[in-house]
Amino acid sequence: MKGWMGKVRALFLLSILSLILSGCGVENLSAFLPKGYGAEVSLDIIFISLAVMIFVFIIVMVIYTIVLVKYRQKKGQEDFVPKQTEGNHILEIVWTVIPIILLIVIAVPTIAATYDLADETDKGDSLNINVTGNQYWWHFNYSEEEIQTSQDMYIPVGQKVYLNMMSSDVLHSFWVPAISGKMDTNPENENTMYIEAYEEGVYWGKCAELCGPSHSLMDFKIVVVSQEEFDQWVSDMQNLDAEATPETASAQEGQALFEQSCLQCHAIGSNPVAIGPNLTNFGDRSKLAGVEDLTHDMLVEWILDPESIKPGNKMTGNYDVPSKDEAEKIADYLLQLKPSEITPESASE
Amino acid sequence: MSNTIAQKKGFGATLWDYLTTVDHKKIAIMYLIGGGFFFILGGLEALAIRWQLIVPENDFVSAGFYNEILTMHGTTMIFLAAMPLIFALMNAVLPLQIGARDVAFPFLNSLGFWLFLFGGILLNCSWFLGGAPDAGWTAYAPLSTTSPGHGVDFYILGLQISGAGTLMGGINFLVTVINMRAPGMTYMRMPLFTWASFVTSALILFAFPALTVGLFLLMFDRLFGSVFFDANYGGNSVIWEHLFWIFGHPEVYILILPAFGVFSDVFSTFAKKRLFGYTAMVFATVLIGFLGFMVWAHHMFTVGLGPAANSIFAVATMAIAVPTGIKIFNWLFTLWGGSIRINSAMLWALGFIPSFTIGGMTGVMLAAAAADYQFHDTYFVVAHFHYVIVGGVVFGIFSGLHYWWPKMFGKILDEKLGKITFWTFFVGFHLTFFIQHFLGLMGMPRRYWVYLEDQGLDLGNSISTVGAFFMGVGALVFLYNVIYTSVKGEKVGGDPWDGRTLEWSIPSPPPHYNFAQAPLVRGLDPLWIEKTEGRKGMTPAEPLDDIHMPNNTILPFVMSVGLFIAGFGFIYQAEYTGGFIAMFVGMGITLGAMFTRSVKDDLGHHIHKEDLDKGAGM
């Protein structure tokens, strides 16, 4: 049995080693490095349950090892017939009652945390954001502030923010591992969850419910800023002139093209139309389409062939593909849409 | 026995024999071949998934095709590999363990197999007809109702047909256990594998109808314009989740309980000890089966059911850990004080204990609702259910196959190859899935076609892929072992392991009628009791007499072909007249065969007692 245990040990060491090499994941993404209330509560429960379970595992493995070392058939004892024990009542009671106690140790904090995370008592006094999951992008509607934005959600640090979530098509799931656990967006009912971020920064969000080919590309960000910065962002977004004339000639032409061809689906400003992502602060976005770097070339490529970046997206086939030249101009226009000084870049500094 | 007949009868006659057989032993072999084939297919799909994820932003397969592969991997492995392989073991062994000559409804048994096979073939036809289903094995609406093409239609019809077969199998084994036990074989003397199969059959009876109903609703939504799951018209997609998991959660117990049964028998045999705490083991099995119906919503903690529902289902789920723990400790104490022989069957059983314990640990962790908000739909869940399904069910199937192979085929699988299989598969398994626990919490949701660079997910995924290929090598060695053994293996007698239960009291492979005379059962481990009292075999409970056996029939095959044709018909009826015709022709064939079955008397045949000695040697 030496070889057996040796291999298990080697495997275990290898796993630990690989874990150390890769750390606990990337900051602002990993659930191991919580930077928000929900993530912290969940991680506490994870560690409580893990501790209890490791205790159980050790007991099982100790008995297992003793059994395998001590009771293997020895050479020359092939005819040995062990005592045919039927069972043992005391032992049965022990390994029924102790696990029940251990489970209570896990269950009590679990229930407390579950109720805690579902609390909605101060919903009316807090910032509310209506979140809509779409194939394959996210829309954020600050209904009271009358601000619409997509893909990057701005919230103030240290504040409870209530998210009222729905889907416009299939099921999605809103997950920002470093800040909080996930909640599904359903097409038929609104789900509410609150989040509270502890530190300023830009956090990775992911869709966690299979929603089609580009499920894995449906990333978004939560941009956590200070209360003052948030207030400024809100006022910038509220006071922007959606029809302001851009500076460069190319962007001006792009604006005309955009208003002619794109405005049916993509709103700029506080118009709640959200067939496609709202592009009000497109120039400030952390990423293009959630996953690509926000560059002029990439944007042109997207306008010409979104399918190559997000397979199965709803834009493909539903618009008149512009010429390369037109696409360049539209890109110029979109990239200069920077209504606020408060950006993902400023937040991550 | 089948081999000797084959040599005498030639290929055509053998084929006909298998197409028409109602013998549970031959049906077991067909389940084994069918399930084995789909296991290889599902394994190849798994390797494709892992190859796509070996490096970040890989483009080995396209996004849409990736979703088809992951859907088919899950669907194939659960419905077309694990289920039939479990049924293979149940068919091969259960009637023998209770001293029966066949199952209660041999005709139904054959029908169940053919429905499974044709359902599986129908489902896989989708690959060649415009694309496989791509909404995940859970087929959550509205993704499944809005998925373009016919992929999901194939999923619905394929599973509906094979699911009907499974339901029949479950009913059949229930009645078999209730009605067909040999004299003296009381419930509390049944081997644990029989007990587990019995409870599993009850779970099938109650769980599969939920799937049937769900699939019908989905079918009407997709094919006939209803809106059960369409929120725009007042439908509700969460209902599908409930229906699916009311079936889906018991389904995992349907798979794992027979595996538990295998381990109980294997531990007991190779420790040369009576199963420790037999009564507790039986009650734990029943309790797991019962609780299995109370916990489905733990798959839905993030759906928004509210803290009350989440807490109740969290506690109910944790409760399952208690009977499962009872089983683990009873197995350990069965080994305690025993005389443990380690061969391939035992290696799989011993490998199961730590693997499954880890799966059970993560199960309790997942049950904690507030923690599950982080785990849910990430690679942590992927790791967890592979630890229980591979570490539990697949290990159980391998253990059971090594253990009962001599009973089924009269030859012991090569030990050396068996050990190579175990070690490559075991190491590969942990290499593949252990790291995935961490990947999940590091921010990798499941069913991701690609993961991005610089997110700390690269190394873990590469390790996982390497492990998957180890598992592939292990499976190949097993396949080679099967061929090697059937060519080179030596014949063994009826009782090569010094067995304890009834199946080891008859020749290997058993004669057509299993027991020439029904054995008299005098306690748990009946053969062991006889052996300790110095007898060589079982004492007969009846005088030697003519044996009544059912006749072979092609009707189950015909019925299944009819439903197979009708399945295509349903899928294509809206577009092509041909589809409409196929629907009616297919249903006509099936109903015609059913009618024939109803009106034609088939009283079976008798094997005369004078002829018995030749075949049986009993």
Side-chain angles (χ1 to χ4, degrees):
Chain A
M1 207 75 283
K2 276 257 168 59
W4 207 100
M5 291 310 294
K7 274 167 190 144
V8 171
R9 212 174 294 130
L11 197 75
F12 189 69
L13 286 177
L14 188 68
S15 310
I16 296 292
L17 187 72
S18 57
L19 185 69
I20 292 166
L21 285 176
S22 55
C24 293
V26 171
E27 228 177 314
N28 291 5
L29 168 64
S30 172
F32 283 120
L33 307 166
K35 294 196 175 175
Y37 184 69
E40 200 177 52
V41 169
S42 292
L43 196 63
D44 286 346
I45 303 290
I46 290 171
F47 281 138
I48 291 170
S49 54
L50 181 64
V52 173
M53 286 300 121
I54 285 179
F55 171 69
V56 174
F57 185 70
I58 289 171
I59 291 175
V60 169
M61 290 318 287
V62 166
I63 300 174
Y64 181 81
T65 312
I66 293 172
V67 160
L68 284 181
V69 171
K70 209 168 154 197
Y71 297 110
R72 281 195 70 175
Q73 190 174 71
K74 293 172 187 68
K75 280 231 162 66
Q77 291 196 358
E78 283 80 6
D79 294 332
F80 167 70
V81 178
K83 188 165 172 271
Q84 304 289 310
T85 28
E86 287 195 15
N88 185 316
H89 285 299
I90 295 167
L91 279 177
E92 297 285 352
I93 291 166
V94 166
W95 59 56
T96 307
V97 172
I98 293 179
I100 290 175
I101 295 168
L102 293 179
L103 288 176
I104 291 170
V105 171
I106 302 174
V108 170
T110 294
I111 293 172
T114 304
Y115 272 89
D116 180 16
L117 292 178
D119 181 51
E120 291 184 23
T121 43
D122 52 357
K123 183 168 188 273
D125 312 325
S126 307
L127 174 64
N128 273 252
I129 303 174
N130 297 331
V131 176
T132 311
N134 305 274
Q135 285 171 323
Y136 303 94
W137 56 280
W138 296 87
H139 187 71
F140 308 112
N141 174 2
Y142 298 65
S143 51
E144 210 165 303
E145 291 76 14
E146 295 188 357
I147 295 173
Q148 311 284 328
T149 177
S150 298
Q151 297 295 65
D152 290 352
M153 176 203 268
Y154 289 74
I155 60 166
V157 70
Q159 299 287 326
K160 256 181 155 181
V161 178
Y162 279 84
L163 307 178
N164 307 306
M165 302 193 253
M166 278 192 88
S167 163
S168 72
D169 38 50
V170 303
L171 305 182
H172 304 279
S173 196
F174 180 97
W175 188 35
V176 188
I179 293 184
S180 185
K182 58 188 77 63
M183 178 71 96
D184 292 1
T185 65
N186 302 329
E188 53 274 296
N189 68 292
E190 190 177 87
N191 280 335
T192 300
M193 168 174 101
Y194 68 82
I195 55 174
E196 184 187 332
Y198 293 155
E199 279 178 40
E200 294 177 37
V202 180
Y203 296 85
W204 282 91
K206 306 238 167 215
C207 176
E209 184 66 70
L210 180 64
C211 57
S214 286
H215 168 51
S216 59
L217 304 175
M218 198 174 149
D219 285 8
F220 61 98
K221 303 289 177 304
I222 293 189
V223 182
V224 180
V225 295
S226 69
Q227 184 68 51
E228 302 82 55
E229 287 172 315
F230 181 74
D231 292 338
Q232 193 197 327
W233 179 79
V234 168
S235 93
D236 287 345
M237 289 293 280
Q238 282 170 336
N239 299 324
L240 73 99
D241 177 6
E243 280 148 34
T245 313
E247 283 170 22
T248 66
S250 161
Q252 284 166 11
E253 283 179 56
Q255 183 181 30
L257 286 164
F258 183 86
E259 282 171 3
Q260 189 191 320
S261 318
C262 314
L263 211 52
Q264 292 92 324
C265 300
H266 295 285
I268 289 181
S270 60
N271 185 343
V273 168
I275 298 166
N278 182 299
L279 303 178
T280 307
N281 55 353
F282 189 82
D284 289 336
R285 287 271 181 83
S286 55
K287 289 275 178 183
L288 169 69
V291 287
E292 297 290 351
D293 287 335
L294 188 66
T295 63
H296 186 270
D297 288 352
M298 197 45 102
L299 180 55
V300 171
E301 196 183 322
W302 171 270
I303 295 170
L304 293 174
D305 184 16
E307 196 66 14
S308 67
I309 299 172
K310 268 194 176 174
N313 74 81
K314 300 286 159 152
M315 180 162 158
T316 305
N318 288 320
Y319 70 109
D320 297 325
V321 182
S323 69
K324 178 110 197 276
D325 184 47
E326 288 170 330
E328 303 257 357
K329 287 169 182 164
I330 295 173
D332 281 338
Y333 167 64
L334 290 175
L335 288 172
Q336 57 85 47
L337 290 171
K338 297 180 171 182
S340 179
E341 303 271 286
I342 312 304
T343 63
E345 227 166 44
S346 77
S348 49
E349 270 160 17
Chain B
M1 191 172 77
S2 58
N3 279 339
T4 52
I5 291 172
Q7 278 147 18
K8 274 181 225 153
K9 289 200 319 201
F11 179 74
T14 313
L15 185 68
W16 181 253
D17 185 42
Y18 272 87
L19 290 179
T20 59
T21 188
V22 294
D23 181 351
H24 69 96
K25 298 177 287 298
K26 285 182 186 162
I27 290 173
I29 292 169
M30 293 197 291
Y31 266 121
L32 183 61
I33 295 168
F37 170 76
F38 285 119
F39 183 75
I40 293 167
L41 203 60
L44 291 174
E45 284 152 7
L47 291 180
I49 289 172
R50 282 317 321 168
W51 192 253
Q52 165 66 18
L53 296 176
I54 191 170
V55 289
E57 301 184 46
N58 199 5
D59 60 354
F60 172 62
V61 291
S62 73
F65 191 55
Y66 182 79
N67 285 359
E68 293 176 25
I69 296 172
L70 74 86
T71 302
M72 287 300 283
H73 167 68
T75 314
T76 302
M77 282 305 197
I78 295 287
F79 291 100
L80 307 178
M83 286 295 293
L85 289 171
I86 291 288
F87 267 123
L89 292 179
M90 280 160 71
N91 263 301
V93 178
L94 188 144
L96 306 181
Q97 284 199 330
I98 59 172
R101 292 208 172 109
D102 206 323
V103 291
F105 306 118
F107 182 92
L108 209 59
N109 202 13
S110 161
L111 181 58
F113 167 75
W114 291 111
L115 286 175
F116 139 67
L117 188 67
F118 279 105
I121 293 172
L122 180 67
L123 179 55
N124 278 281
C125 282
S126 60
W127 287 115
F128 311 103
L129 295 167
D134 58 357
W137 86 282
T138 50
Y140 275 10
L143 185 64
S144 56
T145 50
T146 54
S147 164
H150 282 301
V152 177
D153 299 333
F154 279 100
Y155 170 92
I156 296 167
L157 270 302
L159 289 193
Q160 197 67 284
I161 293 172
S162 72
T166 307
L167 186 56
M168 286 174 199
I171 293 170
N172 200 354
F173 284 115
L174 270 182
V175 180
T176 304
V177 170
I178 294 170
N179 275 350
M180 310 269 292
R181 283 166 291 126
M185 177 59 84
T186 60
Y187 282 106
M188 294 311 278
R189 287 176 182 173
M190 296 197 303
L192 246 283
F193 178 73
T194 296
W195 252 114
S197 303
F198 183 54
V199 175
T200 274
S201 303
L203 295 190
I204 290 174
L205 179 64
F206 290 107
F208 267 74
L211 177 70
T212 307
V213 170
L215 287 174
F216 266 123
L217 298 182
L218 199 57
M219 175 177 166
F220 275 79
D221 269 18
R222 278 190 65 93
L223 297 176
F224 303 116
S226 65
V227 289
F228 292 111
F229 304 126
D230 189 342
N232 297 325
Y233 299 91
N236 192 316
S237 66
V238 178
I239 297 207
W240 166 265
E241 296 184 49
H242 281 295
L243 283 172
F244 186 85
W245 287 116
I246 286 171
F247 147 77
H249 195 80
E251 167 69 16
V252 301
Y253 293 103
I254 289 169
L255 295 175
I256 195 67
L257 287 180
F260 284 173
V262 171
F263 296 127
S264 300
D265 287 10
V266 167
F267 282 136
S268 169
T269 302
F270 295 113
K272 273 197 189 178
K273 264 187 74 195
R274 186 193 147 104
L275 189 69
F276 193 86
Y278 172 85
T279 319
M281 286 297 251
V282 169
F283 279 104
T285 307
V286 176
L287 195 59
I288 291 172
F290 179 74
L291 287 174
F293 281 99
M294 309 290 166
V295 298
W296 78 90
H298 69 218
H299 298 267
M300 300 167 61
F301 281 150
T302 65
V303 168
L305 301 176
N310 281 0
S311 299
I312 291 167
F313 280 97
V315 173
T317 305
M318 287 177 192
I320 293 190
V322 175
T324 314
I326 291 174
K327 292 188 86 87
I328 295 271
F329 287 113
N330 275 307
W331 283 320
L332 288 174
F333 277 78
T334 303
L335 298 174
W336 191 282
S339 174
I340 301 171
R341 284 173 288 167
I342 295 181
N343 54 22
S344 302
M346 191 63 167
L347 266 183
W348 286 105
L350 290 172
F352 152 84
I353 296 236
S355 310
F356 191 83
T357 306
I358 293 173
M361 287 164 59
T362 53
V364 173
M365 292 169 72
L366 281 159
D372 180 70
Y373 299 156
Q374 288 288 18
F375 297 137
H376 185 83
D377 257 341
T378 68
Y379 263 79
F380 188 91
V381 175
V382 176
H384 160 73
F385 68 69
H386 282 95
Y387 261 87
V388 288
I389 292 183
V390 180
V393 181
V394 176
F395 281 25
I397 289 168
F398 274 122
S399 179
L401 285 176
H402 278 279
Y403 180 52
W404 283 309
W405 202 269
K407 188 44 65 185
M408 291 175 77
F409 299 100
K411 292 173 176 178
I412 293 179
L413 283 169
D414 187 75
E415 267 303 309
K416 203 170 166 203
L417 289 171
K419 286 191 171 127
I420 295 172
T421 306
F422 173 77
W423 283 114
T424 43
F425 198 92
F426 182 81
V427 171
F429 162 71
H430 285 280
L431 215 50
T432 309
F433 295 111
F434 192 73
I435 195 81
Q436 291 184 358
H437 293 113
F438 300 95
L439 284 176
L441 285 174
M442 280 153 66
M444 184 160 168
R446 69 192 277 210
R447 294 165 166 174
Y448 260 31
W449 166 56
V450 289
Y451 51 95
L452 304 180
E453 277 167 9
D454 303 325
Q455 298 203 337
L457 305 171
D458 308 12
L459 182 68
N461 273 296
S462 305
I463 291 173
S464 186
T465 300
V466 171
F469 280 86
F470 270 92
M471 291 169 79
V473 171
L476 279 181
V477 175
F478 182 79
L479 203 64
Y480 174 70
N481 194 355
V482 169
I483 298 164
Y484 177 84
T485 303
S486 68
V487 177
K488 291 265 180 80
E490 280 175 37
K491 288 260 171 205
V492 291
D495 184 17
W497 306 126
D498 193 10
R500 311 170 68 87
T501 42
L502 280 182
E503 73 268 32
W504 305 110
S505 71
I506 52 175
S508 300
H512 177 42
Y513 43 82
N514 299 350
F515 295 88
Q517 292 159 284
L520 181 68
V521 177
R522 298 193 296 147
L524 182 67
D525 296 339
L527 182 61
W528 180 261
I529 293 176
E530 303 297 331
K531 283 197 265 193
T532 51
E533 292 178 10
R535 276 181 287 272
K536 281 209 173 102
M538 299 301 299
T539 314
E542 58 178 14
L544 201 59
D545 203 351
D546 290 355
I547 294 173
H548 183 210
M549 296 300 289
N551 286 336
N552 284 5
T553 166
I554 192 71
L555 286 177
F557 181 80
V558 176
M559 286 181 194
S560 308
V561 170
L563 283 177
F564 180 68
I565 295 169
F568 279 105
F570 277 109
I571 291 166
Y572 289 107
Q573 44 83 25
E575 289 157 76
Y576 307 105
T577 332
F580 214 67
I581 296 169
M583 202 165 84
F584 280 96
V585 169
M587 290 310 289
I589 293 173
T590 302
L591 291 173
M594 289 167 75
F595 183 75
T596 312
R597 168 73 180 164
S598 302
V599 296
K600 204 172 130 244
D601 276 337
D602 181 359
L603 300 175
H605 63 278
H606 283 87
I607 302 171
H608 296 291
K609 59 183 172 192
E610 296 77 22
D611 303 331
L612 282 179
D613 292 336
K614 285 185 251 169
M618 257 190 90

